[in-house]
Amino acid sequence: LHDEFTHLPSFPRKSLETCFGMYNGPLGRELYSIDSTHKFVWALLMSDMFAKMENAFMFGDLHLFINVINGVTLLHCENVTILRRCMATYLSMAIHFNTLFTNQGFFLIMPTILLCYSQRQTNPLLCRTIEYVCKQFYILHRKPFLLQMAGSVANILDINDDNFEVNPMKVKPKYWFNLLHSMEDMNNMDDPIDLLDLINETKPLKALDLCYRDDPNTFSLLTDALASAVTVCAFAPESRRCYQMLLVMQATIPYFLEQIEKDTIEEENSMVAVKHEISIYTTLCIEMKALVNCCDILARGPTRTFDIVNSVSDRGKSFIADSPQFFDPPTLIEDETKMHYS
């Protein structure tokens, strides 16, 4: 079945085709129900196929099958039956294809999930479900999930804060922050639509990596999300990932500052709340100072070179300098007096 699908030029487009104009006629509601059933069957088929695949790296075209789930989610995410099946499929994939999702798998699904979350804030059940799924993703994969989610949202962040100008292909920063803020409440693990009942794994779900197996299931926006973003920037300040993390921090920190002030006001500016707010500011300042100190290479202009290439030993220098990933050819600026004009 996998080979047959991959040889079809119309896959996965054919499985997601929908004629929206037919839903407004006399039998529009009936046709919409038929289309919903059609999409649900496709989602169920993909879920069964994923369960039968032994290794994700044996299927280089796995993204084609994941796109079916993504398309069905975008079209019918407010249908509880379809939402439950698609979210359970995402969780099952994150467990079944553990190695793939540790490296890059979340880049295939998180843009869809984040767009649904941002576009349908008026649907509390959908929002709570996505928040719960993200908590489970974090429990399963921890920092790799967090960094991939940040990288996914960086390319689709809508910097415009005007609530009346909505871009369906973008994610509002305040909704992105709301999702991160909801993940901090790991004590509230209420499953709104009973997703785990569709997953054939031991409950409750635990971290897949043995390095995280004994860690508590806690999440802090300050010490986990922002600190991880700063670490990525410090490790490779000229990489694309660094640029993504900078965009995410630019969108997140203003709402984070508003939230900690709001939390202090809600506690009536008590001494304990004020001290806690000051400690948060102190930690944030330390992180920003580390970011500035590590990313000063970005302010050196077009003639900058990697300090790591010049400072490592001969053995390390040959490895790093010869690698195309780290090689940065210097920009040669000719003397204006020697330039020839035609």
Side-chain angles (χ1 to χ4, degrees):
L1 186 59
H2 169 269
D3 293 337
E4 291 181 5
F5 278 141
T6 53
H7 286 87
L8 287 176
S10 59
F11 181 81
R13 174 181 55 82
K14 199 68 176 178
S15 62
L16 300 173
E17 281 187 344
T18 301
C19 185
F20 294 100
M22 298 176 62
Y23 301 154
N24 299 322
L27 298 177
R29 186 178 297 274
E30 288 78 2
L31 291 173
Y32 179 79
S33 300
I34 293 174
D35 181 70
S36 300
T37 305
H38 172 254
K39 299 300 184 292
F40 176 75
V41 172
W42 268 105
L44 195 60
L45 176 62
M46 294 298 105
S47 178
D48 292 340
M49 288 188 64
F50 290 142
K52 300 297 189 296
M53 294 181 181
E54 295 182 358
N55 191 337
F57 294 101
M58 294 175 60
F59 304 95
D61 47 15
L62 187 64
H63 62 281
L64 296 177
F65 299 87
I66 295 178
N67 283 341
V68 175
I69 304 296
N70 290 337
V72 172
T73 303
L74 286 173
L75 289 172
H76 296 285
C77 63
E78 292 188 299
N79 185 315
V80 177
T81 304
I82 295 179
L83 175 67
R84 184 169 181 256
R85 169 52 59 183
C86 291
M87 293 296 122
T89 303
Y90 285 143
L91 282 173
S92 299
M93 285 192 298
I95 299 172
H96 190 61
F97 304 129
N98 178 18
T99 307
L100 173 66
F101 276 79
T102 299
N103 296 323
Q104 59 185 10
F106 287 107
F107 284 110
L108 301 175
I109 65 174
M110 287 312 299
T112 299
I113 296 176
L114 293 171
L115 285 173
C116 291
Y117 184 81
S118 178
Q119 294 170 4
R120 292 171 173 84
Q121 285 291 307
T122 55
N123 189 330
L125 179 62
L126 172 65
C127 293
R128 292 202 312 271
T129 301
I130 292 179
E131 290 167 0
Y132 174 77
V133 169
C134 289
K135 290 178 183 179
Q136 293 293 349
F137 281 151
Y138 183 77
I139 290 174
L140 291 171
H141 289 277
R142 305 300 170 102
K143 295 299 189 298
F145 159 69
L146 188 62
L147 294 176
Q148 290 181 62
M149 180 173 67
S152 299
V153 77
N155 299 324
I156 55 176
L157 275 174
D158 187 3
I159 306 301
N160 186 4
D161 292 332
D162 190 352
N163 294 328
F164 296 100
E165 295 184 12
V166 179
N167 187 341
M169 303 304 294
K170 297 287 186 178
V171 174
K172 289 289 186 182
K174 66 177 180 179
Y175 301 142
W176 157 252
F177 171 77
N178 290 342
L179 179 59
L180 289 178
H181 184 59
S182 68
M183 290 174 59
E184 290 187 302
D185 187 11
M186 283 292 184
N187 294 324
N188 181 15
M189 296 299 291
D190 180 32
D191 190 350
I193 53 179
D194 198 17
L195 288 175
L196 295 186
D197 190 51
L198 298 178
I199 300 174
N200 297 323
E201 299 291 339
T202 304
K203 285 88 169 180
L205 301 181
K206 297 181 180 180
L208 299 176
D209 195 327
L210 295 177
C211 297
Y212 300 113
R213 187 62 60 87
D214 296 329
D215 292 351
N217 293 331
T218 58
F219 172 77
S220 171
L221 199 154
L222 179 64
T223 59
D224 289 321
L226 294 179
S228 298
V230 172
T231 303
V232 171
C233 295
F235 179 76
E238 289 189 334
S239 65
R240 182 183 179 187
R241 296 286 286 148
C242 173
Y243 179 64
Q244 291 175 342
M245 295 301 112
L246 290 174
L247 289 176
V248 170
M249 286 189 286
Q250 179 187 6
T252 306
I253 290 178
Y255 293 98
F256 176 68
L257 297 178
E258 291 180 5
Q259 184 63 42
I260 59 178
E261 293 179 3
K262 186 184 300 183
D263 293 341
T264 304
I265 294 174
E266 289 179 355
E267 297 185 18
E268 299 179 353
N269 294 323
S270 63
M271 185 64 66
V272 176
V274 172
K275 288 183 178 180
H276 180 64
E277 181 179 350
I278 293 174
S279 66
I280 292 177
Y281 281 126
T282 303
T283 305
L284 184 62
C285 289
I286 294 173
E287 293 179 357
M288 293 301 103
K289 182 179 180 180
L291 178 66
V292 172
N293 291 337
C294 295
C295 295
D296 60 339
I297 191 172
L298 298 177
R300 297 184 184 179
T303 59
R304 62 184 182 271
T305 56
F306 283 104
D307 290 340
I308 189 172
V309 176
N310 299 325
S311 61
V312 295
S313 61
D314 293 339
R315 180 180 178 183
K317 182 176 180 180
S318 62
F319 171 76
I320 296 176
D322 294 339
S323 173
Q325 181 180 359
F326 292 94
F327 178 66
D328 184 26
T331 303
L332 300 178
I333 303 177
E334 296 182 354
D335 189 355
E336 293 183 358
T337 59
K338 298 181 180 180
M339 294 179 63
H340 301 282
Y341 298 92
S342 57

